[in-house]
Amino acid sequence: SQQGEEDPQALSIQEGENATMNCSYKTSINNLQWYRQNSGRGLVHLILIRSNEREKHSGRLRVTLDTSKKSSSLLITASRAADTASYFCATDARGNNRLAFGKGNQVVVIP
Amino acid sequence: DTEVTQTPKHLVMGMTNKKSLKCEQHMGHRAMYWYKQKAKKPPELMFVYSYEKLSINESVPSRFSPECPNSSLLNLHLHALQPEDSALYLCASSQVDFSGQPQHFGDGTRLSIL
């Protein structure tokens, strides 16, 4: 079964609006990470939330984790054109020394 | 600028060629990774090195041969590739402990097989 499977959505929003994307997974995890990938570039780590945490903030990013529902959400507040990118969640499953990436969400922020 | 440097940025090769991809990091990380990424897809793990030893090979065909000469360098040797091997190849590094460690990615080598 696929770990870190985001809701299959492409998001197109106006600059200044908030963007929310979701991620679901199927097995027990140590932590869940979110990465951003701009077109033609590598992945950039955004935030890591551990299995015993419920919410974490970093600048304009807010991540929640609900281990009972095996889901996470990433909220980007006051979006900017530079936030246009693909966003991937990745789970670090217990007993499995590898990151499993979800399908990714494409976010387009219109200036 | 990323802290993981990959060369070359672009590579076009024929199916009979032999070439190598290179990756370098100077963050003192002791785990290094190769991923393959197709367009609009997530990265797929290929290999993991931990303390310069191969720890994970995700059943990658033998036409891909990884090498870790030292703790800062990671190579991927390519030979007799197929057109379906055309993709973005990403290198990443992290501290050795997998759990709770973010991975730092290079910008990749875009490989095209003719």
Side-chain angles (χ1 to χ4, degrees):
Chain A
S1 59
Q2 185 173 1
Q3 288 272 343
E5 182 175 353
E6 292 92 297
D7 287 353
Q9 60 178 330
L11 213 54
S12 184
I13 57 175
Q14 294 290 329
E15 199 165 31
E17 293 180 340
N18 295 342
T20 300
M21 58 208 87
N22 300 304
C23 169
S24 60
Y25 57 92
K26 297 186 188 304
T27 64
S28 295
I29 60 171
N30 291 317
N31 63 73
L32 186 144
Q33 304 179 35
W34 284 92
Y35 288 80
R36 183 189 74 230
Q37 186 175 31
N38 293 94
S39 180
R41 304 295 300 272
L43 280 74
V44 174
H45 179 261
L46 296 177
I47 198 164
L48 180 151
I49 186 165
R50 300 188 189 281
S51 59
N52 61 353
E53 297 175 312
R54 292 296 166 258
E55 187 171 314
K56 202 162 183 180
H57 297 254
S58 176
R60 293 183 297 111
L61 305 179
R62 173 178 170 255
V63 168
T64 63
L65 179 64
D66 186 336
T67 53
S68 67
K69 295 181 179 178
K70 292 186 168 57
S71 67
S72 173
S73 68
L74 171 67
L75 167 67
I76 305 173
T77 59
S79 63
R80 305 167 181 169
D83 294 328
T84 294
S86 293
Y87 292 83
F88 294 95
C89 73
T91 51
D92 177 359
R94 290 176 185 168
N96 188 358
N97 286 338
R98 50 177 61 76
L99 279 183
F101 286 88
K103 294 179 181 176
N105 276 309
Q106 175 67 42
V107 175
V108 176
V109 181
I110 302 166
Chain B
D1 289 341
T2 60
E3 297 167 310
V4 176
T5 304
Q6 291 188 244
T7 55
K9 293 190 186 303
H10 302 275
L11 180 61
V12 179
M13 57 187 287
M15 289 190 284
T16 58
N17 292 157
K18 284 185 181 181
K19 296 285 185 183
S20 297
L21 308 185
K22 296 186 183 302
C23 175
E24 189 168 4
Q25 59 88 14
H26 294 287
M27 294 177 283
H29 290 169
R30 302 308 295 272
M32 296 186 77
Y33 313 79
W34 280 116
Y35 289 88
K36 173 183 177 181
Q37 186 180 28
K38 292 283 215 180
K40 299 190 187 304
K41 298 290 186 182
E44 299 172 19
L45 183 65
M46 299 175 71
F47 302 104
V48 181
Y49 273 83
S50 178
Y51 286 99
E52 295 94 67
K53 292 191 189 309
L54 183 64
S55 61
I56 295 176
N57 176 343
E58 292 283 50
S59 302
V60 178
S62 60
R63 56 185 184 269
F64 295 91
S65 175
E67 178 195 20
C68 190
N70 60 57
S71 60
S72 300
L73 294 174
L74 187 65
N75 298 322
L76 186 62
H77 303 297
L78 314 173
H79 174 55
L81 295 194
Q82 303 297 308
E84 61 265 28
D85 297 323
S86 297
L88 180 67
Y89 287 84
L90 294 164
C91 173
S93 69
S94 71
Q95 294 181 23
V96 174
D97 181 6
F98 282 98
S99 180
Q101 297 300 325
Q103 294 186 13
H104 297 251
F105 284 80
D107 280 338
T109 294
R110 189 160 299 282
L111 177 65
S112 298
I113 306 300
L114 300 179

